[in-house]
Amino acid sequence: MDYKIKRMIYTVDDIYTLPDGKRAELIDGEIYDMAPPSRKHQGMVGELFNRISNHINSKGGACKPYVAPFAVFLNADDYNYVEPDISVICDPAKLTEKGCNGAPDWIIEIVSPGSRRMDCMIKLFKYRSAGVREYWVVDPDKNRITVYDFAGEDSAEYSFSDTVSSVIYPDLSIDFGQISL
Protein backbone atom coordinates (compact mmCIF):
# COMPACT_ATOMS: atom_id res chain seq x y z
CA MET A 1 0.00 0.00 0.00
CA ASP A 2 1.22 3.46 -0.88
CA TYR A 3 0.64 6.09 1.79
CA LYS A 4 1.12 9.76 1.11
CA ILE A 5 1.54 12.18 3.93
CA LYS A 6 -0.08 15.45 3.11
CA ARG A 7 1.83 18.44 4.39
CA MET A 8 -0.15 21.28 5.94
CA ILE A 9 0.23 24.48 3.94
CA TYR A 10 0.08 27.61 6.09
CA THR A 11 -0.59 31.20 5.05
CA VAL A 12 0.11 34.66 6.41
CA ASP A 13 -3.29 34.51 8.14
CA ASP A 14 -1.91 31.67 10.29
CA ILE A 15 1.05 33.86 11.29
CA TYR A 16 -1.29 36.65 12.37
CA THR A 17 -3.37 34.26 14.51
CA LEU A 18 -0.40 33.03 16.57
CA PRO A 19 -0.69 33.67 20.31
CA ASP A 20 0.62 37.03 21.53
CA GLY A 21 4.37 37.00 21.99
CA LYS A 22 4.97 34.01 19.69
CA ARG A 23 7.05 34.85 16.63
CA ALA A 24 7.41 32.74 13.53
CA GLU A 25 8.29 33.06 9.88
CA LEU A 26 6.59 31.46 6.90
CA ILE A 27 8.53 30.11 3.93
CA ASP A 28 6.73 28.38 1.10
CA GLY A 29 3.76 27.63 3.36
CA GLU A 30 5.84 26.14 6.19
CA ILE A 31 5.98 27.80 9.62
CA TYR A 32 9.35 28.18 11.36
CA ASP A 33 9.24 29.20 15.02
CA MET A 34 11.61 31.94 16.14
CA ALA A 35 13.37 31.94 19.50
CA PRO A 36 13.76 35.25 21.35
CA PRO A 37 17.04 36.96 20.42
CA SER A 38 19.91 37.17 22.91
CA ARG A 39 21.33 40.41 24.28
CA LYS A 40 24.43 39.95 22.10
CA HIS A 41 22.23 39.45 19.02
CA GLN A 42 20.18 42.57 19.74
CA GLY A 43 23.31 44.61 20.41
CA MET A 44 24.74 43.62 17.03
CA VAL A 45 21.45 44.44 15.26
CA GLY A 46 21.31 47.84 16.96
CA GLU A 47 24.93 48.74 16.09
CA LEU A 48 24.54 47.76 12.43
CA PHE A 49 21.13 49.40 12.06
CA ASN A 50 22.41 52.69 13.51
CA ARG A 51 25.38 52.81 11.16
CA ILE A 52 23.30 51.96 8.10
CA SER A 53 20.49 54.34 9.03
CA ASN A 54 22.89 57.21 9.74
CA HIS A 55 24.65 56.67 6.41
CA ILE A 56 21.43 56.54 4.39
CA ASN A 57 20.04 59.62 6.16
CA SER A 58 23.27 61.57 5.58
CA LYS A 59 23.08 60.83 1.85
CA GLY A 60 19.39 61.68 1.54
CA GLY A 61 18.69 58.51 -0.40
CA ALA A 62 15.31 56.99 -1.14
CA CYS A 63 16.17 53.74 0.65
CA LYS A 64 14.69 53.10 4.09
CA PRO A 65 16.15 50.72 6.71
CA TYR A 66 13.93 48.75 9.07
CA VAL A 67 14.76 46.58 12.06
CA ALA A 68 12.94 43.41 13.21
CA PRO A 69 10.21 42.79 13.89
CA PHE A 70 9.33 44.20 10.48
CA ALA A 71 7.07 42.18 8.19
CA VAL A 72 8.42 41.25 4.77
CA PHE A 73 5.96 39.51 2.47
CA LEU A 74 8.84 38.17 0.42
CA ASN A 75 7.12 37.01 -2.74
CA ALA A 76 4.13 39.34 -2.32
CA ASP A 77 2.01 36.23 -1.70
CA ASP A 78 0.28 34.57 1.24
CA TYR A 79 2.91 31.82 1.71
CA ASN A 80 6.08 33.77 2.52
CA TYR A 81 6.51 36.04 5.53
CA VAL A 82 9.88 36.79 7.13
CA GLU A 83 11.21 39.22 9.72
CA PRO A 84 14.85 39.88 8.78
CA ASP A 85 17.02 41.45 11.47
CA ILE A 86 17.63 44.42 9.14
CA SER A 87 15.88 45.20 5.84
CA VAL A 88 16.72 48.03 3.46
CA ILE A 89 14.01 48.86 0.93
CA CYS A 90 14.78 51.25 -1.92
CA ASP A 91 11.43 51.10 -3.76
CA PRO A 92 8.82 53.04 -1.74
CA ALA A 93 6.04 51.37 -3.76
CA LYS A 94 6.81 48.12 -1.88
CA LEU A 95 6.06 49.69 1.50
CA THR A 96 2.63 49.40 3.09
CA GLU A 97 1.36 49.93 6.61
CA LYS A 98 1.89 46.20 7.23
CA GLY A 99 5.51 46.12 6.00
CA CYS A 100 7.29 45.36 2.74
CA ASN A 101 5.42 43.70 -0.11
CA GLY A 102 8.18 42.05 -2.15
CA ALA A 103 11.93 41.58 -1.77
CA PRO A 104 13.98 44.20 0.08
CA ASP A 105 17.15 45.37 -1.67
CA TRP A 106 19.44 44.46 1.24
CA ILE A 107 18.90 42.05 4.12
CA ILE A 108 21.12 41.37 7.11
CA GLU A 109 20.60 38.37 9.38
CA ILE A 110 22.54 37.87 12.62
CA VAL A 111 23.05 34.15 13.19
CA SER A 112 22.01 32.67 16.50
CA PRO A 113 22.79 29.07 17.44
CA GLY A 114 19.20 28.07 16.69
CA SER A 115 18.97 30.00 13.39
CA ARG A 116 22.15 28.82 11.60
CA ARG A 117 20.42 26.41 9.18
CA MET A 118 17.62 28.88 8.54
CA ASP A 119 19.90 31.88 7.86
CA CYS A 120 22.67 30.07 5.98
CA MET A 121 20.60 27.70 3.85
CA ILE A 122 16.84 28.18 3.72
CA LYS A 123 16.81 31.98 3.71
CA LEU A 124 19.88 32.19 1.49
CA PHE A 125 18.06 30.32 -1.28
CA LYS A 126 14.74 32.08 -0.64
CA TYR A 127 16.21 35.59 -0.61
CA ARG A 128 18.17 35.00 -3.81
CA SER A 129 15.18 33.55 -5.67
CA ALA A 130 12.87 36.34 -4.41
CA GLY A 131 15.07 39.12 -5.85
CA VAL A 132 17.02 40.43 -2.85
CA ARG A 133 20.10 42.21 -4.24
CA GLU A 134 22.43 41.95 -1.24
CA TYR A 135 22.41 39.58 1.76
CA TRP A 136 24.75 39.65 4.75
CA VAL A 137 24.98 36.70 7.13
CA VAL A 138 26.70 37.92 10.29
CA ASP A 139 27.84 35.05 12.50
CA PRO A 140 29.31 36.27 15.82
CA ASP A 141 30.04 32.72 17.05
CA LYS A 142 32.16 31.94 13.98
CA ASN A 143 33.66 35.46 13.72
CA ARG A 144 32.44 35.62 10.13
CA ILE A 145 30.46 37.93 7.85
CA THR A 146 29.41 36.51 4.49
CA VAL A 147 28.28 39.04 1.90
CA TYR A 148 26.21 37.79 -1.02
CA ASP A 149 25.89 40.03 -4.06
CA PHE A 150 23.05 38.22 -5.80
CA ALA A 151 22.88 40.73 -8.67
CA GLY A 152 26.59 40.30 -9.39
CA GLU A 153 26.47 36.56 -8.59
CA ASP A 154 29.35 36.93 -6.15
CA SER A 155 30.08 36.34 -2.48
CA ALA A 156 32.88 37.19 -0.06
CA GLU A 157 33.77 36.26 3.51
CA TYR A 158 35.15 38.58 6.16
CA SER A 159 36.11 38.36 9.83
CA PHE A 160 35.21 40.65 12.70
CA SER A 161 38.56 42.41 12.29
CA ASP A 162 37.66 43.48 8.72
CA THR A 163 35.91 46.48 7.25
CA VAL A 164 33.00 45.40 5.05
CA SER A 165 31.53 47.51 2.26
CA SER A 166 27.96 47.34 1.06
CA VAL A 167 27.24 46.37 -2.52
CA ILE A 168 24.26 48.69 -2.97
CA TYR A 169 25.96 51.51 -1.01
CA PRO A 170 29.66 51.26 -2.06
CA ASP A 171 30.55 54.32 0.03
CA LEU A 172 29.19 52.63 3.19
CA SER A 173 31.82 50.60 5.02
CA ILE A 174 31.40 49.05 8.44
CA ASP A 175 34.47 48.32 10.54
CA PHE A 176 33.41 45.24 12.47
CA GLY A 177 36.42 45.66 14.76
CA GLN A 178 34.69 48.75 16.18
CA ILE A 179 31.40 47.01 16.91
CA SER A 180 31.04 46.27 20.61
CA LEU A 181 29.36 43.02 21.54
Side-chain angles (χ1 to χ4, degrees), residues 63-85:
C63 299
K64 297 286 182 199
Y66 295 91
V67 67
F70 177 73
V72 174
F73 304 93
L74 201 52
N75 293 81
D77 64 19
D78 286 336
Y79 305 102
N80 292 281
Y81 168 96
V82 292
E83 293 182 0
D85 289 315

Side-chain angles (χ1 to χ4, degrees), residues 37-54 65-68 85-86 108 110 138 174 179-181:
S38 68
R39 179 197 58 80
K40 183 178 175 181
H41 180 278
Q42 288 303 89
M44 175 73 68
V45 169
E47 290 263 355
L48 291 173
F49 178 80
N50 282 338
R51 292 167 194 244
I52 293 166
S53 181
N54 288 340
Y66 295 91
V67 67
D85 289 315
I86 299 171
I108 298 175
I110 312 301
V138 179
I174 297 174
I179 292 182
S180 58
L181 297 177

